[in-house]
Amino acid sequence: MATSDDLEVSAYLEIAEGRASEAENEPQSVNEGIIVIDFGSQYSHLIARRIRDLKVYSEVFTASSTWETVRHINPKGVILSGGPASVYDPGAPRIPDWVFERDLPVLGICYGMQALVHQLGGEVIPGQAQEYGSAVLHQDGGEASLFTELPPTFQVWMSHGDRIATLPPGFSSLAYTENSPVAALGNGKGIFGLQFHPEVNHTPLGQSILENFLMRACDCRGSWTPGHFVSDSIKRIQEQVGDGRVICALSGGVDSAVTAMLLHKAIGDQLTCIFVNNGLLRLEEPERVQDTFKRNMGLNLVYADASERFLTELAGVIDPEQKRKVIGEEFIRVFEEAASGLGQTDFLAQGTLYPDVIESETPENRASARIKTHHNVGGLPENMKLKLVEPLRYLFKDEVRQVGLELGLPEEMVYRQPFPGPGLAIRIIGEVTLERCDMLRACDWIVIDEIKAAGLYQQIWQSFAVLTDNRTVGVMGDYRTYGYVCAIRAVSSEDAMTADWVRLPYEVLARMSNRIVNEVPGVTRVVYDITSKPPGTIEWE
Ligand code: XMP
């Protein structure tokens, strides 16, 4: 899913991607890779992720992929994902022929195992009892390299209807559960099937099973590291860009920061970054970004201070969606003006991540209801005709962070909490004015300062202040006050799709509240938001 801190960059994708040829987005070459064939499981990308955690490169491909489209990752093995189909459904996805022709080790999971059985001459039938949730697996002998060093019985996570009635020739059963007489199978020649899901946390020993498959069946070495990624990417960027010129919109978020640093290492002065100050950034953010990139890292950085322009455009706007639209359009104008002063430009670098790619390639996975626009720019102006450079296109967020550290970016930037593209505008309820921005900046600074002092910053998904448009009566000294209510929000989340409010220690909340009412003129009351998502959202607007 698209996390927020670089959406102002990745939103360009919608228009720019149409212009980029497949060749420009070719994945990196690696010395050993595992192919995950996606049969439509919600866990396919999780499998790839688990494999990478074992230091082996992995990528998800569709069932219609040809050998030519997968060979560049130097496949050492194939994992077939689960999926919603039954092998007897008309048009049910099939394992591509090249999987067997290439003699690669194969691990079929759930539907992947049923497809193996079906295509290799066994029989799959509808199960009498569907099996969802936890089950106890019993090993029952056979070629069990997959289960090396695992106990004879252990807990697994099942989610299937069909079951195996007849094994294909040459296969034997490796394990059973109460409802699945064949819960694992193998042919002694590197082809395995599992009826359960080793990739999910509810199969506690699942990672050991995947590790056995990689290291024993596929003979992987496990050498994929951020360092390899960096040197590979540098080579690829140099090949793609040649002596062309590249621009990159820097937001201060980790994705665009890592993208810019990789490009800087690869092509030096051929890269120019544009950093737009929309006046809606947090305290000291514009200075921090310029310090890090221009002064410390030596990047070509164009700083476009458009704060006044944005605030002028936002005057009188109170509707959240309208705020996003105004900010998005103004961003494009400012960015285009800054870029047009740079002369000939050939490429646009973006911090698109793997979850964005997965999401955009399987539209059926997208949440259907639009809750918020989540974009702050409408798209790149048509006349710019730029080709895309997306060096992070095959990485997950935490891998990007590892690469960031490898590239020498400061920890505080690498582990920065997500910050929305429209910035403070969607945390100021009602009209956005300079005075209210400054008020919120001061509150926000205190919240983050106290969260950091309590050692909680990296454990929390997002923590911030919101300036409401409510005013309440208070008393300070002998005077009546009448000022704004500031709300504090701190949430834990895996991916921003769902979130829970963080049970912050009372002392931390007390310090924040005390400091805010004392240090921020105009704010006289502080509340803590204890709403989860759903039903709330993370941001207030
Ligand atoms: P919500 O408020 O929908 O937010 O729970 C989920 C995540 O998205 C971020 N967010 C945005 N990011 N432009 C962005 O770049 C936006 O318009 C936007 N709205 C919300 C939010 O900070 C959270 O991480």
Side-chain angles (χ1 to χ4, degrees):
M1 81 129 270
T3 48
S4 58
D5 54 354
D6 287 294
L7 268 179
E8 63 264 46
V9 187
S10 63
Y12 293 142
L13 192 64
E14 297 195 341
I15 290 182
E17 198 174 43
R19 302 190 202 115
S21 73
E22 267 304 301
E24 284 146 16
N25 287 326
E26 251 179 40
Q28 60 189 109
S29 58
V30 283
N31 56 12
E32 58 177 20
I34 294 288
I35 294 166
V36 175
I37 296 198
D38 179 16
F39 287 136
S41 163
Q42 50 177 327
Y43 301 130
S44 300
H45 61 281
L46 186 62
I47 302 173
R49 229 242 103 115
R50 297 274 183 252
I51 303 300
R52 291 179 190 198
D53 283 346
L54 294 163
K55 297 194 168 55
V56 175
Y57 184 74
S58 178
E59 216 176 286
V60 179
F61 295 93
T62 62
S64 58
S65 303
T66 61
W67 175 247
E68 287 315 308
T69 58
V70 303
R71 59 184 299 178
H72 62 272
I73 74 162
N74 282 323
K76 283 281 190 332
V78 179
I79 298 186
L80 310 168
S81 85
S86 156
V87 290
Y88 295 112
D89 287 347
R94 284 177 61 82
I95 305 166
D97 291 339
W98 53 259
V99 170
F100 304 114
E101 288 160 11
R102 296 278 152 188
D103 223 4
L104 292 165
V106 182
L107 175 65
I109 296 174
C110 200
Y111 177 85
M113 156 159 150
Q114 290 157 9
L116 268 178
V117 169
H118 185 62
Q119 285 182 234
L120 295 177
E123 194 191 1
V124 178
I125 56 165
Q128 282 128 357
Q130 299 200 327
E131 210 177 1
Y132 294 103
S134 259
V136 176
L137 187 93
H138 303 265
Q139 294 195 46
D140 64 359
E143 202 260 87
S145 62
L146 213 50
F147 299 143
T148 303
E149 291 179 15
L150 268 66
T153 61
F154 54 91
Q155 188 193 328
V156 296
W157 181 261
M158 291 282 192
S159 168
H160 68 104
D162 293 353
R163 67 181 179 87
I164 310 301
T166 316
L167 291 168
F171 279 78
S172 58
S173 169
L174 305 179
Y176 62 91
T177 66
E178 194 180 347
N179 288 317
S180 292
V182 182
L185 52 81
N187 70 347
K189 296 181 186 150
I191 301 189
F192 300 93
L194 300 175
Q195 189 61 81
F196 57 91
H197 290 270
E199 70 276 23
V200 304
N201 285 334
H202 303 290
T203 301
L205 296 176
Q207 193 68 347
S208 306
I209 298 173
L210 292 175
E211 185 171 9
N212 281 335
F213 177 66
L214 297 187
M215 305 305 165
R216 292 172 194 278
C218 304
D219 218 10
C220 290
R221 279 172 299 144
S223 55
W224 195 77
T225 61
H228 285 107
F229 174 83
V230 170
S231 50
D232 267 9
S233 301
I234 289 175
K235 235 186 298 156
R236 284 189 48 77
I237 292 168
Q238 288 166 340
E239 279 163 21
Q240 186 190 351
V241 170
D243 55 9
R245 298 202 59 87
V246 184
I247 50 170
C248 175
L250 209 55
S251 70
V254 60
D255 306 342
S256 67
V258 172
T259 303
M261 280 309 294
L262 264 177
L263 272 123
H264 178 61
K265 286 236 150 105
I267 56 166
D269 276 352
Q270 287 163 254
L271 169 74
T272 303
C273 294
I274 298 173
F275 174 57
V276 176
N277 180 356
N278 57 11
L280 306 164
L281 303 172
R282 283 169 299 185
L283 203 64
E284 296 183 3
E285 185 102 44
E287 294 76 22
R288 195 177 53 85
V289 171
Q290 291 183 82
D291 267 356
T292 307
F293 291 100
K294 198 167 188 164
R295 287 188 263 286
N296 298 344
M297 308 286 187
L299 256 83
N300 277 335
L301 182 68
V302 174
Y303 172 60
D305 184 355
S307 13
E308 275 181 34
R309 280 175 63 167
F310 277 85
L311 287 179
T312 307
E313 293 296 323
L314 281 168
V317 179
I318 52 171
D319 175 69
E321 288 297 278
Q322 188 59 23
K323 285 181 186 172
R324 285 185 169 84
K325 188 163 177 284
V326 166
I327 295 166
E329 287 171 0
E330 193 58 21
F331 184 91
I332 286 298
R333 276 194 284 274
V334 174
F335 186 82
E336 193 181 24
E337 283 168 27
S340 66
L342 299 175
Q344 169 67 30
T345 307
D346 311 285
F347 295 90
L348 171 75
Q350 289 203 139
T352 313
L353 302 194
Y354 202 32
D356 306 329
V357 175
I358 294 166
E359 205 175 58
S360 61
E361 282 170 3
T362 55
E364 63 278 13
N365 288 343
R366 284 185 187 166
S368 48
R370 167 168 288 195
I371 311 294
K372 297 177 188 176
T373 316
H374 274 228
H375 280 204
N376 73 343
V377 288
L380 196 68
E382 271 299 331
N383 57 8
M384 287 184 89
K385 300 260 184 295
L386 297 173
K387 289 172 257 169
L388 288 178
V389 188
E390 298 180 309
L392 312 182
R393 202 175 156 83
Y394 295 92
L395 296 191
F396 290 98
K397 189 84 169 187
D398 57 343
E399 293 172 319
V400 172
R401 295 207 158 104
Q402 294 302 318
V403 171
L405 293 177
E406 180 79 26
L407 287 165
L409 282 171
E411 276 208 16
E412 75 158 36
M413 184 163 279
V414 166
Y415 289 104
R416 194 184 84 140
Q417 291 176 358
F419 184 66
L424 301 182
I426 56 167
R427 294 177 180 172
I428 293 175
I429 314 304
E431 193 180 359
V432 181
T433 61
L434 177 60
E435 189 198 3
R436 301 192 77 210
C437 283
D438 285 340
M439 223 181 258
L440 181 56
R441 267 190 272 270
C443 298
D444 184 75
W445 176 269
I446 293 169
V447 170
I448 296 295
D449 196 40
E450 289 298 334
I451 291 280
K452 284 187 174 163
L456 296 170
Y457 186 78
Q458 283 188 25
Q459 297 164 35
I460 291 176
W461 174 264
Q462 274 172 291
S463 44
F464 54 89
V466 174
L467 187 66
T468 75
D469 55 355
N470 278 98
R471 289 208 282 172
T472 65
V473 174
V475 55
M476 266 181 161
D478 292 329
Y479 294 97
R480 174 186 190 272
T481 56
Y482 188 54
Y484 285 110
V485 179
C486 163
I488 297 170
R489 182 96 167 119
V491 296
S492 56
S493 177
E494 288 282 314
D495 51 14
M497 299 294 287
T498 59
D500 197 9
W501 58 281
V502 177
R503 274 56 170 175
L504 285 179
Y506 279 169
E507 313 79 68
V508 175
L509 286 168
R511 272 195 302 275
M512 287 175 182
S513 162
N514 204 25
R515 282 186 61 188
I516 289 173
V517 289
N518 280 297
E519 294 173 28
V520 187
V523 177
T524 46
R525 193 176 289 258
V526 177
V527 296
Y528 188 44
D529 180 352
I530 53 167
T531 321
S532 60
K533 172 183 178 175
T537 54
I538 294 178
E539 304 291 346
W540 273 34
E541 289 199 331

